[in-house]
Amino acid sequence: MPDSPTLPDLIDMQIRTTGPMSVATYMGLCLTHPHKGYYKGADPLGAAGDFITAPEISQMFGELVGFFVVNLWQQMGQPKACTLLELGPGRGTLMADMLRVACRAEGFRDALDLRLFETNPALIAEQNARLEAYDPNWIQGFDTVGDGPLLVVANEFFDALPIRQFVRTTQGWHERVVGLLEGRRAFGLSPTPLPPSVMPDAVADAAPNAIYEAALAGTEVMSRLAHTVSTQGGAILAIDYGYAMTQTGETLQGIRRHAYADVLASPGDTDLSAHVDFNALGDAAGKAGLTVHPLVSQARFLDRLGIGDRAKALGLANPGAAADIAAARRRLTAPDQMGDLFKAFCAASPGLVPPGFSP
Ligand SMILES: C[S@@+](CC[C@H](N)C(=O)[O-])C[C@H]1O[C@@H](n2cnc3c(N)ncnc32)[C@H](O)[C@@H]1O
């Protein structure tokens, strides 16, 4: 039986048949093609994979997010049923660390309705192994997410959603596309310029060659969840690398085995991501009626939640691991590591005061 075509072959065939594809279509195929997408394969996390994330660096990250969640539940009057939804839960490490802390609060375990949104079968199996005791349910979409208060957590999820790219030329804005040039994948521009009115005001005066990235998939997810939170009560916490104000600049990147990789070279074998436009997410949440709290750096968020004290306590309890704990804290909070690049975003029902977002 002939081998089934590889993802690069499928993409090239599609381009030959229907013409160049948008960057969003390319990114979507690379990451979540039903059988051959990057996020449909083996677990990509950890030292043996392509990248490492904050919850995999230290349990302190998840424990502090657990405190954040339980504090909001308490502010909401400890509702008897509360849905906790994680988007892109990876290995389930963040949620396991969160729930170890949150379930110490009386009544929280009984109120908990745990939902997970995940595309990767290998990671779903790991999430199940770690979180089985909390009776998780995996959801396929956002039409119904419980009917009571909803708390949403997403770490490094929004950066994995497809973006469209637009390039400014002297004729106007053109969508950037992926096509074939002498048989090799290459970026090009769609021939017809878009009306300037469809571009956000913030990029209206961009110089020729400027690139604007539109996170339409991320904004759609935020909008749908924000509408649900707006009617049912709750909050959305998203931690990711990104920028506070809509701007121009290319951030689409490929990562393979912990190093930068060509975005076009190995579809399906390279992680593709783009920095998150938190301003666009905030607009979507604000339009749904939520209060969007000022963006804070991951360092400030974790400092305010007490990572210093937590690191000290963990170090005293495990003297042999004290140096590793201090190193993990530095990695999560130092400005030249994850501290400034990563930001914490929170949109919440009016009246809630999310911990970590104000002094
Ligand atoms: C960069 S990993 C982050 C994992 C985890 N949150 C952590 O911090 O370790 C991205 C996560 O989002 C999931 N994911 C990516 N695209 C997705 C999509 N379109 N739908 C659902 N899950 C997705 C991945 O499988 C993975 O669990």
Side-chain angles (χ1 to χ4, degrees), residues 12-286:
D12 294 354
M13 260 189 291
Q14 183 166 329
I15 295 172
R16 279 193 197 96
T17 316
T18 55
M21 58 179 68
S22 71
V23 169
T25 303
Y26 175 76
M27 204 175 161
L29 285 170
C30 290
L31 294 179
T32 52
H33 179 280
H35 312 297
K36 297 164 193 280
Y38 178 81
Y39 277 119
K40 298 292 181 179
D43 174 357
L45 286 128
D50 292 317
F51 54 83
I52 189 149
T53 56
E56 302 297 332
I57 290 170
S58 167
Q59 68 185 78
M60 293 184 286
F61 184 84
E63 289 169 348
L64 295 170
V65 177
F67 166 77
F68 172 93
V69 158
V70 87
N71 180 286
L72 286 177
W73 174 73
Q74 286 164 338
Q75 286 186 44
M76 291 190 292
Q78 309 194 354
K80 294 250 168 307
C82 179
T83 300
L84 177 57
L85 165 65
E86 185 176 357
L87 309 176
R91 293 174 167 172
T93 310
L94 170 58
M95 187 53 77
D97 290 337
M98 283 167 62
L99 291 178
R100 202 174 50 250
V101 167
C103 289
R104 283 192 209 137
E106 205 183 320
F108 185 81
R109 175 66 190 92
D110 289 339
L112 176 69
D113 162 30
L114 179 60
R115 313 271 178 128
L116 305 171
F117 181 68
E118 174 59 65
T119 192
N120 183 317
L123 292 177
I124 289 176
E126 292 195 48
Q127 291 155 18
N128 191 38
R130 281 204 170 88
L131 300 169
E132 207 176 0
Y134 299 103
D135 303 319
N137 282 300
W138 283 264
I139 61 169
Q140 308 298 324
F142 304 116
D143 286 342
T144 48
V145 191
D147 49 16
L150 171 63
L151 296 170
V152 183
V153 170
N155 186 61
E156 287 207 49
F157 169 77
F158 283 96
D159 67 76
L161 300 182
I163 51 147
R164 290 173 75 180
Q165 288 187 325
F166 300 93
V167 180
R168 180 75 191 242
T169 72
T170 47
Q171 275 78 50
W173 288 98
H174 294 254
E175 178 142 24
R176 203 175 190 207
V177 292
V178 177
L180 291 172
L181 191 65
E182 294 170 2
R184 293 170 69 90
R185 260 161 264 125
F187 286 115
L189 295 185
S190 153
T192 321
L194 287 126
S197 57
V198 302
M199 292 293 144
D201 293 345
V203 303
D205 297 328
N209 297 324
I211 294 183
Y212 162 62
E213 296 180 335
L216 300 178
T219 313
E220 171 69 15
V221 171
M222 178 56 70
S223 174
R224 305 211 28 198
L225 287 172
H227 275 100
T228 306
V229 169
S230 187
T231 31
Q232 298 174 192
I236 303 170
L237 172 71
I239 302 174
D240 226 310
Y241 39 88
Y243 40 92
M245 297 311 297
T246 298
Q247 60 187 40
T248 55
E250 180 171 25
T251 71
L252 175 64
Q253 64 182 21
I255 298 282
R256 206 173 172 198
R257 307 266 175 271
H258 301 268
Y260 288 111
D262 185 340
V263 166
L264 299 180
S266 306
D269 285 335
T270 301
D271 175 40
L272 300 183
S273 66
H275 286 216
V276 173
D277 180 350
F278 286 108
N279 188 49
L281 294 189
D283 274 354

